[in-house]
Amino acid sequence: MRQPRDLVAEAKAWFESFANREVAEPELSVLSGRMIDAIAADVPEIGSDAALRQELRVAVHDGVGAYFSQGPHERPGDIHLPNAAKALGRALAQRGYDIALLQRCYRTLQRISWAEIMTSACREITDPELLPVALDLQWDHLSRTISGATERAEMAFLDETRRQASSALTRRRELVEAILHEDRVDIERSTRQLGHNLYIQQTGLILWTLDPTDDSSAMLETLAVDIATALGAPRPLMLPAGGRMLWAWLATPEVPDLRKIARLKAFQQRQPIVQLAAGVPAAGVDGFRVSHQEALRAYRIAAETEPAPVTLYRDVELVSCLAADIAALSRMVHRELGGLAARGEATARLRDTALVYLEQGSMAKAAESLGVHKNTVLYRMQQVEELLPQPLDEHRMPLEVALRVVATLGERVLPD
């Protein structure tokens, strides 16, 4: 009785014979050369660059050699891949190319390799039973080899990209810190190195997230770009200040209208996950530094209160200047407000009405701003007058300051 054929063993034997021929020189170099020419035609960015083509030449030559020297009997994890693939990945990253270019190289390599294998197999294997088994075996081996080489090249590409980004970020951070510390810097050179025009209006921004669960750097950077677009500024200069905070600067020819920021969708939600503090726009290197410092002060005010999603330093400047000594500020509030410094919703409503009245300058305008009847404002202001320790008209400025302090910092500046 005839023994059944072991088609897999026969297919492996054919591949071993085929590989022995192809792995020897000059056949290996000729085969690799055809593949390199095909990749260079499909990926002209590499084909026209002598240095990159040389990296490709080594990667393909070594990769084809590894494919033929290790037959399809190897287990997937046992395939040894040369380091040339890593060198190609690093080289493409160093030249600033996208990872998609690397992936195109390996897709073309797989296509050309498979065409070479099919041509040889169909020419040499005339047995109709053996041919499909041999092709199936080679496709599996080729796919695993190309996949491993691609993965190795991609990891090297991403490692190099991260290394470059870290190095660039370090240089950017050092230059920004030099400006913030008032070190002498060459403005033209710094503008070029930062990619940020230091001659025009500078607006410092602080963005942070209230979500403690994740690194939100990418989301904050996207939002900073959206803000720049809304204000007609180019891409902002950005510097991470931790996983959940971002420093940013806008450069604009004219003073931007920062009120537009609060109209962005990200800040219109009822419970925003991001907040922003902005300094006052100012020109030049001094403006770069001062507006950032003001944004930090606005952030400190926002972080200690329950503010709107956007805090402009211009709106909290007075309170920021006074807030260094909370105890002294609380005593001033108590002296100026008297009974109007009591806690509770009713007194808070009277304080809000008094502040709007002082800002608007008339009962009618205050009523319009508050969305109530003029008589309501009149009635509330009568109550305010009764609670104040002195007539309103005699202490308008300190009274408005005290009311604004409470409106910004909340009840922590009220007496117990």
Side-chain angles (χ1 to χ4, degrees):
M1 183 176 178
R2 193 173 69 174
Q3 292 289 331
R5 294 176 63 184
D6 187 345
L7 292 173
V8 172
E10 291 181 38
K12 290 180 178 179
W14 171 81
F15 177 75
E16 186 174 350
S17 173
F18 172 58
N20 287 336
R21 296 194 307 272
E22 296 294 336
V23 79
E25 295 292 358
E27 285 78 6
L28 180 59
S29 292
V30 172
L31 176 59
S32 299
R34 289 201 298 270
M35 295 179 176
I36 291 163
D37 289 341
I39 294 173
D42 275 7
V43 190
E45 295 91 337
I46 291 182
S48 60
D49 188 309
L52 289 178
R53 184 160 180 146
Q54 177 59 26
E55 294 288 358
L56 176 66
R57 188 185 312 280
V58 176
V60 171
H61 184 278
D62 290 2
V64 172
Y67 172 79
F68 283 123
S69 64
Q70 301 173 83
H73 59 279
E74 302 288 351
R75 292 178 297 175
D78 291 341
I79 297 176
H80 172 72
L81 295 168
N83 287 326
K86 295 169 66 174
L88 177 62
R90 280 195 299 270
L92 288 173
Q94 288 165 354
R95 302 296 286 275
Y97 286 111
D98 190 89
I99 196 171
L101 197 71
L102 179 65
Q103 294 163 342
R104 282 166 55 196
C105 289
Y106 278 98
R107 283 198 299 269
T108 300
L109 178 60
Q110 183 164 7
R111 176 173 58 81
I112 298 302
S113 299
W114 181 238
E116 292 281 349
I117 293 169
M118 282 193 66
T119 299
S120 297
C122 291
R123 184 178 62 245
E124 298 180 13
I125 302 176
T126 58
D127 185 332
E129 290 187 76
L130 179 59
L131 180 59
V133 176
L135 290 177
D136 183 64
L137 203 64
Q138 294 316 306
W139 176 252
D140 177 69
H141 182 47
L142 176 66
S143 298
R144 288 192 282 112
T145 304
I146 294 291
S147 176
T150 304
E151 182 179 342
R152 176 169 290 198
E154 287 177 343
M155 289 179 63
F157 181 98
L158 295 173
D159 285 344
E160 177 62 21
T161 300
R162 283 190 287 267
R163 188 194 68 77
Q164 290 183 349
S166 177
S167 177
L169 177 61
T170 298
R171 292 194 299 271
R172 185 164 70 246
R173 186 181 299 279
E174 289 174 349
L175 184 50
V176 166
E177 288 180 351
I179 295 173
L180 295 179
H181 292 143
E182 300 187 57
D183 295 342
R184 294 189 57 147
V185 296
D186 184 311
I187 299 178
E188 183 173 353
R189 182 179 177 185
S190 298
T191 291
R192 187 170 59 253
Q193 290 178 337
L194 292 173
H196 180 85
N197 190 341
L198 290 168
Y199 289 99
I200 56 180
Q201 293 290 323
Q202 309 293 312
T203 304
L205 306 176
I206 306 294
L207 296 95
W208 69 100
T209 177
L210 304 179
D211 183 358
T213 60
D214 198 9
D215 186 322
S216 304
S217 302
M219 179 267 290
L220 294 176
E221 289 182 4
T222 299
L223 180 55
V225 172
D226 291 343
I227 292 169
T229 301
L231 297 181
R235 183 178 178 84
L237 173 63
M238 294 179 282
L239 197 64
R244 287 181 285 274
M245 178 178 285
L246 179 73
W247 294 356
W249 288 263
L250 306 179
T252 52
E254 307 293 336
V255 175
D257 180 6
L258 301 184
R259 300 288 174 190
K260 292 181 180 179
I261 298 176
R263 302 185 203 127
L264 292 177
K265 183 178 180 180
F267 299 113
Q268 288 292 315
Q269 303 166 1
R270 282 190 163 188
Q271 294 181 331
I273 61 169
V274 292
Q275 290 188 285
L276 175 139
V280 179
V285 172
D286 287 341
F288 183 94
R289 182 178 63 256
V290 171
S291 188
H292 172 71
Q293 292 170 345
E294 292 174 345
L296 285 174
R297 293 190 187 105
Y299 160 72
R300 294 187 191 104
I301 294 295
E304 295 176 357
T305 61
E306 296 181 2
V310 176
T311 303
L312 305 182
Y313 182 71
R314 178 75 78 185
D315 294 339
V316 298
E317 183 173 16
L318 179 61
V319 176
S320 176
C321 293
L322 295 172
D325 189 338
I326 292 295
L329 196 58
S330 180
R331 289 193 295 270
M332 185 273 287
V333 166
H334 190 199
R335 281 195 296 268
E336 295 300 327
L337 298 186
L340 201 57
R343 299 170 185 268
E345 292 184 12
T347 313
R349 185 167 55 249
L350 293 179
R351 285 196 298 269
D352 292 341
T353 301
L355 180 57
V356 172
Y357 168 74
L358 291 171
E359 290 174 339
Q360 298 296 329
S362 74
M363 297 287 184
K365 290 181 178 179
E368 182 180 354
S369 179
L370 291 167
V372 299
H373 194 275
K374 179 181 175 180
N375 288 342
T376 301
V377 176
L378 178 61
Y379 173 69
R380 290 180 185 173
M381 289 307 299
Q382 289 173 345
Q383 292 179 292
V384 167
E385 291 273 14
E386 292 174 1
L387 292 171
L388 290 175
Q390 63 276 321
L392 184 148
D393 289 334
E394 292 182 9
H395 280 255
R396 291 180 72 96
M397 182 176 293
L399 174 61
E400 184 174 352
V401 169
L403 290 169
R404 189 171 298 281
V405 165
V406 179
T408 304
L409 297 180
E411 292 192 349
R412 69 194 186 101
V413 294
L414 297 177
D416 294 328

